[in-house]
Amino acid sequence: MDYVRPRYRTGSNMNMSRRKFVSHATIGLLGGAAVSRGHADDATGKSEPGQKPLIVSTWPFGKPANDRALRILQQTGSILDAVEQGIWVTESDAKNSSVGLSGTPNAAGVVQLDSCIMYGPGHKAGSVAAIEGIVHPISAARRVMEKTRNVMLAGEGARMFALEQGLESVPVHSRRLYREWERRRMAERKRSSKVGKQNHDTISLLVLGADGNLAGGCSTSGLGHKLPGRVGDSPIVGSGLYVDNEVGAAGATGLGENIMRYCATFLIVELMRQGLHPTEACMAAIRRIARAENRSGDDLAINFVALDKQGRYGAAGTNKGFRYAVTTLSESRVLPNPAASVAFR
Ligand code: GLY
């Protein structure tokens, strides 16, 4: 495949001191404009420092989640409530075959879910892995963060904890009841005309609050027909999700095995710390993974969204059809993948 040069510099080809200068000069020039627009240029995927609050999520199905998150933020002022209840929208969507209990089952015919939540102030995190029968794994992850001294619970222990916390569930120990429930959900999904290529993979949702604090969450049923017990990137802090209240946040969607081996969202946040724009940071992380894998990117199936403390946002993905949703007080949009024509090697 021909290499198509992106229209901006990346961390690897831009001199560090110049990068810092450009970045700081840009922030200096734009930072004074308190109500800067924050639009991403569709060609480059680069946004200016933007409005707060700002919500960014993966895939077009992230848009209704963002819209809900914004409403919750306006009602409660809580960035954690916004993340949790925004993600509820996707987890509850019977048409979605890769998030929540409507997700594609594993090789044993059981839906096992992964989810993570992070809260910038105090650098808090909670996650659940391979959890069964819980309608909102993001809430289980939040409870792990808020109600235990742990960060991650997995499998049956995670399910028991979620039940103890009173979270909504479906029976998993009665195969008959579970199958009945599953049949109903599948029938509901089939009736929908919206089932299609867009209906896949993880919701990662990031929130920058009006006060400058950050939170994020992600939720997925993971790889369809995966080995029972297989855990992807989503519940792993720094892989599927990372939030650093000083810098920004990043979330992932795609093939977990290609994300978790590189702690990709941690890497993206660290690249933003060095001054890269969120889109540049996502691009640079993909480029680094592609180089290490000696692959052009097409078959890596890794996609990222990111936002920084200044209210800039961005994304990049190796899936040409990857898109992401951005929501502010003034608008809510689905944007194209800024890397759609980039070969990463
Ligand atoms: N990114 C979701 C997974 O690989 O499980």
Side-chain angles (χ1 to χ4, degrees):
M1 167 180 270
D2 291 334
Y3 177 78
V4 181
R5 186 175 291 281
R7 290 171 55 190
Y8 49 83
R9 293 165 187 271
T10 66
S12 56
N13 63 11
M14 191 174 179
N15 170 282
M16 176 64 91
S17 57
R18 173 162 161 71
R19 184 172 68 223
K20 269 194 178 150
F21 171 77
V22 171
S23 163
H24 290 168
T26 307
I27 291 166
L29 282 173
L30 298 170
V35 211
S36 52
R37 302 291 75 84
H39 275 167
D41 176 326
D42 283 357
T44 64
K46 288 183 73 173
S47 62
E48 296 170 356
Q51 300 174 48
K52 298 173 195 168
L54 170 66
I55 302 163
V56 178
S57 66
T58 49
W59 302 110
F61 62 58
K63 186 176 172 300
N66 284 9
D67 294 341
R68 172 75 173 275
L70 182 63
R71 278 200 303 281
I72 297 300
L73 206 47
Q74 288 171 314
Q75 284 163 14
T76 70
S78 161
I79 51 176
L80 265 183
D81 289 349
V83 167
E84 181 184 19
Q85 295 185 41
I87 289 177
W88 281 358
V89 173
T90 325
E91 289 178 337
S92 301
D93 182 359
K95 300 186 294 293
N96 194 308
S97 57
S98 59
V99 179
L101 285 171
S102 297
T104 306
N106 65 15
V110 176
V111 178
Q112 291 188 327
L113 305 173
D114 296 337
S115 180
C116 182
I117 195 163
M118 287 192 78
Y119 184 55
H123 204 67
K124 296 182 178 130
S127 77
V128 289
I131 193 170
E132 294 177 17
I134 299 300
V135 175
H136 293 302
I138 189 68
S139 299
R142 181 173 178 179
R143 299 294 173 99
V144 172
M145 178 176 77
E146 291 182 335
K147 308 280 184 194
T148 79
R149 294 180 179 180
N150 309 119
V151 169
M152 177 186 279
L153 294 179
E156 186 59 7
R159 194 178 80 83
M160 294 312 294
F161 170 75
L163 292 178
E164 252 174 50
Q165 292 292 316
L167 298 183
E168 195 182 343
S169 64
V170 300
V172 294
H173 286 314
S174 162
R175 283 289 139 202
R176 187 182 59 77
L177 284 176
Y178 183 75
R179 293 287 177 224
E180 264 173 28
W181 178 86
E182 201 177 32
R183 256 196 305 278
R184 276 202 307 278
R185 291 282 273 192
M186 294 306 154
E188 203 178 321
R189 189 197 300 171
K190 255 191 197 144
R191 275 197 300 277
S192 161
S193 57
K194 286 190 180 164
V195 174
K197 279 189 172 171
Q198 286 180 5
N199 259 325
H200 58 89
D201 223 294
T202 310
I203 172 107
S204 283
L205 187 148
L206 313 172
V207 176
L208 171 66
D211 59 0
N213 284 323
L214 293 156
C218 60
S219 184
T220 188
S221 54
L223 195 62
H225 315 294
K226 61 193 175 186
L227 281 178
R230 178 263 188 191
V231 171
D233 58 305
S234 303
I236 315 275
V237 170
S239 287
L241 176 75
Y242 197 66
V243 175
D244 185 315
N245 216 42
E246 285 183 353
V247 178
T253 173
L255 187 57
E257 281 71 8
N258 289 340
I259 297 167
M260 61 210 286
R261 285 181 294 124
Y262 294 94
C263 303
T265 55
F266 176 78
L267 174 60
I268 290 166
V269 171
E270 288 307 301
L271 290 167
M272 290 194 290
R273 190 193 300 279
Q274 291 169 25
L276 267 65
H277 183 280
T279 294
E280 290 174 332
C282 295
M283 289 284 217
I286 296 175
R287 185 162 285 117
R288 187 144 141 196
I289 294 169
R291 262 203 317 269
E293 297 283 310
N294 198 21
R295 287 151 82 176
S296 64
D298 290 12
D299 54 350
L300 284 173
I302 54 176
N303 310 280
F304 302 102
V305 291
L307 54 74
D308 68 15
K309 194 89 174 159
Q310 289 84 43
R312 299 182 300 178
Y313 58 83
T318 64
N319 291 56
K320 307 277 175 252
F322 172 63
R323 290 188 288 159
Y324 68 113
V326 177
T327 302
T328 64
L329 287 175
S330 53
E331 62 180 357
S332 191
R333 301 198 300 163
V334 173
L335 297 177
N337 176 6
S341 59
V342 173
F344 284 97
R345 197 177 42 173

